[in-house]
Amino acid sequence: MRSGDPDAFGSPYRLLSTAVTPRPIAWVSSRGPAGENLAPYSFYTVAAVDPPTLLFAPVATAAAPKDTLANAVATEAFVVNVVTRDLVEEMNASSATLEPEESEFDHAGVTPVEAVHVDAPRVAEASVSMECHLTEAIEIGGSTVVVGEVVYAHVDDDVLADGKIDIDRLETVGRLAGNRYASTEDRFTIERPP
């Protein structure tokens, strides 16, 4: 067995993004001065159940924010849209580097719909969307852990059974390493756009 500090395995990012798999994807929508924003984050998970709390961690800080982080902090709001197999191409398209005035919603071919309780849009095509109120943004090195309480949810009737989400009806997608992904059914590869 080989042992060493995280750099001994390519880089800390490579170690974490390959060993911690599959990682769910938070497809985060937000609103800021430049308009609506939509971006996927695979450093994401449930943080607590009571109150229902999610977190995601963009590689960004207050000194060098990405749009999602800046928007979430400014409006104290964001929506986490669940990525399913039927939306993986759209999710991938939204990861492209666009100019601030360009819409990731338009680029990905998905529809923004106003959230009910937070100042952010949600993805109309997503089977599950969770409206979140920002509770904390904690900088750790070059990243920021964004924590939000789920205050409202939208769940498509097609994925419900007896009023509850049925995992057999919701084919979620997780991130593996590099361009590799896995759904609840299989593994596949998809190239990230420039």
Side-chain angles (χ1 to χ4, degrees):
M1 175 176 284
R2 185 173 167 193
S3 302
D5 64 33
D7 287 318
F9 304 95
S11 71
Y13 176 83
R14 180 68 180 185
L15 173 68
L16 295 173
S17 67
T18 306
V20 182
T21 56
R23 296 183 314 280
I25 303 166
W27 201 12
V28 181
S29 48
S30 61
R31 176 175 288 116
E36 297 167 339
N37 183 262
L38 181 63
Y41 293 92
S42 63
F43 282 29
Y44 156 68
T45 194
V46 172
V49 175
D50 186 17
T53 304
L54 303 174
L55 66 82
F56 69 99
V59 179
T61 63
K66 290 186 176 179
D67 292 339
T68 303
L69 174 60
N71 295 348
V73 169
T75 63
E76 297 186 344
F78 58 92
V79 177
V80 172
N81 303 279
V82 172
V83 178
T84 49
R85 186 66 175 93
D86 61 318
L87 290 174
V88 74
E89 295 291 341
E90 291 83 350
M91 174 278 301
N92 189 52
S94 73
S95 71
T97 303
L98 303 178
E99 294 300 318
E101 65 278 0
E102 292 181 90
S103 167
E104 289 86 4
F105 280 91
D106 291 344
H107 185 75
V110 293
T111 311
V113 175
E114 283 303 310
V116 175
H117 288 287
V118 300
D119 182 17
R122 64 181 177 89
V123 175
E125 293 81 0
S127 295
V128 180
S129 297
M130 295 171 279
E131 299 183 17
C132 298
H133 175 76
L134 178 74
T135 56
E136 286 189 77
I138 308 157
E139 286 191 18
I140 301 175
S143 296
T144 303
V145 177
V146 179
V147 183
E149 180 180 348
V150 178
V151 295
Y152 201 74
H154 306 267
V155 180
D156 192 306
D157 289 335
D158 290 345
V159 300
L160 294 173
D162 299 322
K164 299 174 186 166
I165 295 177
D166 182 344
I167 193 60
D168 290 328
R169 298 180 183 188
L170 185 71
E171 189 180 355
T172 55
V173 171
R175 186 87 190 268
L176 298 175
N179 290 326
R180 308 239 8 231
Y181 292 80
S183 74
T184 51
E185 298 292 327
D186 64 357
R187 291 181 177 203
F188 57 94
T189 301
I190 185 170
E191 296 294 324
R192 184 174 175 180

